Amino acid sequence: MLKRLLSGVLFCVVTVTVLVGCSKNPIEEANKGAEKPIVFRLAENQPEDYPSTLGAKEFARLVSERTNGRIKIEVYADGKLGNENSVVEQIQFGAIDFARVSVSSLTEANKSMVALMLPYLYKDRNHMFKVLDGYIGDTILADLNKSGYTGLAWYDAGTRNFYNTKKEIKSPEDMKGLIIRTQKTDLMMDLTSALGATPVAMAYGDVYSALKTGVIDGAENNWPSFEASKHYEIAKFFTVDEHMRVPELVLASKMVMDKLSAADQETVKSAAKEASLLEREEWLKREEASKKKIEASGVKITYLQTNAAFKEKVKGLYDKYGKDYKVIIDEILNTK
Ligand code: GCU
């Protein structure tokens, strides 16, 4: 009896499976012939409304529009795909497809990057973009190929300044004894030591709690990062020493790019360049908004009459870090 029942059930299951298998699924039918989109991930360690994230979203929009939805780029903001240094490593072997990163995070993979972030290198923003949008910027983007990256476009990231929880900094002498977080790159650490403070390299995402718990006394960054990261809520002294402009860039994994057709590669490259213009506009707006917010929050902002003392202390770094890139550095300094 049981046997009969079981074989009856089995018969029904098989029959239903066959019938469903043969019948036409309207969704499957509609999708037949349509290519599945290629979905890429872009890593961004800033929040959703930050200029570089807006730039990345515009990049994604343009790529999708120009490939009729065949290529989709999903933007993962807020460091969801990991800290910048680990993202840079993962891009190299294709585990992450795209990212927007600070030039500092590439100095290990590509030493020539250091030539773009020496202290007090650029006269101003226009000078920096003349360099980056011209022959030097193009050459350095292309050079990234040999380390496994495709460099796509340059973003603005303003100037970097020191801030801390302890005291006002008016001259390098005031930095003595302060423990300052830096990006994980020798140049940044040496710069901080040259100014008299003690550097501690740490991921950007860990700085807030390190400031809060007193593991560090301060850090350095541009206005929008100081504001967006909420470091300004803890560090109440900010000195506008403008020691560096560290440009940022959009990167692709070379392994990933090599799998695309030449036409798609071109689409990706031109979309990234176009979207960088939006980031640069958004940057200026955010810089102003951040300044206002920081001022209103009661942070003591110190504008230096001259940053000559800071410049003097760090000029030795040109010999140490710039000697292999003298031609590039001279060209940068001579760019009008
Ligand atoms: C800036 C930059 C980040 C970087 C950070 C840092 O905020 O936008 O990409 O990680 O500096 O100091 O590490």
Side-chain angles (χ1 to χ4, degrees):
M1 175 67 193
L2 183 67
K3 223 171 168 186
R4 218 184 253 176
L5 193 69
L6 278 177
S7 65
V9 169
L10 196 63
F11 175 74
C12 285
V13 170
V14 170
T15 314
V16 167
T17 312
V18 168
L19 282 179
V20 168
C22 293
S23 78
K24 291 196 164 130
N25 175 332
I27 299 174
E28 262 173 32
E29 285 302 300
N31 282 342
K32 240 181 217 162
E35 270 180 83
K36 256 193 162 175
I38 309 173
V39 182
F40 290 131
R41 297 187 304 163
L42 184 150
E44 166 60 67
N45 72 353
Q46 298 288 2
E48 297 286 348
D49 64 345
Y50 198 83
S52 54
T53 316
L54 300 178
K57 287 178 185 171
E58 175 65 1
F59 168 48
R61 190 189 69 77
L62 290 173
V63 169
S64 169
E65 184 180 278
R66 291 174 187 173
T67 59
N68 296 318
R70 269 190 307 109
I71 302 182
K72 294 213 177 305
I73 300 175
E74 290 172 350
V75 177
Y76 290 80
D78 284 312
K80 282 192 202 84
L81 298 186
N83 74 51
E84 209 163 72
N85 287 84
S86 99
V87 164
V88 158
E89 277 171 21
Q90 294 185 67
I91 293 248
Q92 226 167 6
F93 55 89
I96 295 179
D97 312 296
F98 292 91
R100 189 286 313 162
V101 298
S102 167
V103 155
S104 313
S105 61
L106 285 168
T107 50
E108 209 155 291
N110 190 295
K111 302 252 181 292
S112 65
M113 283 287 156
V114 96
L116 294 180
M117 55 174 281
L118 285 163
Y120 300 110
L121 176 65
Y122 306 104
K123 281 188 283 293
D124 52 26
R125 176 179 197 263
N126 282 345
H127 178 206
M128 182 183 81
F129 279 123
K130 271 231 170 95
V131 170
L132 297 177
D133 291 337
Y135 168 75
I136 300 176
D138 286 349
T139 311
I140 293 193
L141 284 186
D143 194 53
L144 280 168
N145 256 312
K146 62 174 197 255
S147 0
Y149 305 102
T150 306
L152 296 174
W154 298 107
Y155 278 10
D156 197 0
T159 55
R160 294 181 77 103
N161 306 282
F162 285 99
Y163 51 87
N164 77 94
T165 56
K166 298 272 180 234
K167 59 179 178 186
E168 184 179 6
I169 295 172
K170 291 196 204 139
S171 74
E173 280 67 54
D174 301 321
M175 292 189 53
K176 235 197 192 106
L178 292 179
I179 300 174
I180 301 287
R181 175 271 172 175
T182 70
Q183 293 179 298
K184 269 192 189 150
T185 173
D186 294 345
L187 170 59
M188 282 295 202
M189 297 187 76
D190 273 356
L191 170 119
T192 306
S193 307
L195 290 168
T198 306
V200 176
M202 186 183 285
Y204 181 55
D206 296 334
V207 179
Y208 182 88
S209 69
L211 279 171
K212 196 147 193 153
T213 53
V215 168
I216 54 170
D217 301 316
E220 50 79 59
N221 219 317
N222 50 53
W223 294 91
S225 294
F226 181 49
E227 175 260 311
S229 62
K230 300 199 176 357
H231 296 172
Y232 75 100
E233 292 177 358
I234 316 169
K236 292 296 181 190
F237 300 97
F238 185 91
T239 296
V240 190
D241 60 280
E242 304 192 317
H243 53 270
M244 270 178 183
R245 279 183 187 274
V246 181
E248 300 185 355
L249 72 163
V250 182
L251 280 181
S253 166
K254 185 172 178 301
M255 278 173 74
V256 170
M257 284 292 272
D258 285 349
K259 289 192 193 128
L260 295 179
S261 68
D264 284 345
Q265 288 183 20
E266 243 350 278
T267 302
V268 166
K269 285 183 183 169
S270 62
K273 282 229 152 78
E274 214 171 304
S276 73
L277 302 181
L278 179 127
E279 187 276 347
R280 295 178 197 182
E281 270 171 39
E282 291 295 332
W283 182 264
L284 294 179
K285 289 192 228 156
R286 182 65 179 247
E287 213 167 32
E288 280 319 302
S290 297
K291 274 185 198 170
K292 288 212 173 91
K293 205 162 168 181
I294 293 163
E295 270 159 14
S297 78
V299 170
K300 166 100 185 110
I301 301 166
T302 305
Y303 289 93
L304 301 168
Q305 264 177 3
T306 163
N307 48 19
F310 285 81
K311 276 191 183 159
E312 181 57 30
K313 290 263 183 214
V314 300
K315 71 171 197 246
L317 298 172
Y318 276 69
D319 287 338
K320 181 161 178 194
Y321 289 92
K323 64 176 186 321
D324 294 340
Y325 309 107
K326 219 172 154 347
V327 178
I328 305 178
I329 294 165
D330 285 346
E331 234 172 287
I332 294 178
L333 295 171
N334 291 327
T335 301
K336 293 275 173 299

